[in-house]
Amino acid sequence: MTDVMKAILAEIREGLEDEFCDRTYLLESVEEQLAGLLEYCSGAGAEAVAK
């Protein structure tokens, strides 16, 4: 999971450094990734860790 979080932060950093980056797209992409990570942590991922 740490790798996923690092990848999300790297995407944010790259997007903010790129003056031509569409900030709205970047925000939507990060929101989707975080929602997926949250779902994983609270759903199937949590069950897999519990086993």
Side-chain angles (χ1 to χ4, degrees), residues 15-26:
L16 293 176
E17 290 174 353
D18 180 0
E19 65 182 277
F20 299 108
C21 178
D22 179 348
R23 301 293 198 264
T24 302
Y25 173 79
L26 176 64

Side-chain angles (χ1 to χ4, degrees), residues 9-43:
L9 290 173
E11 181 179 349
I12 294 169
R13 186 175 302 115
E14 289 173 17
L16 293 176
E17 290 174 353
D18 180 0
E19 65 182 277
F20 299 108
C21 178
D22 179 348
R23 301 293 198 264
T24 302
Y25 173 79
L26 176 64
L27 179 59
E28 290 172 354
S29 174
V30 170
E31 285 177 340
E32 287 177 14
Q33 292 179 52
L34 290 175
L37 182 60
L38 180 61
E39 183 177 321
Y40 175 82
C41 290
S42 64

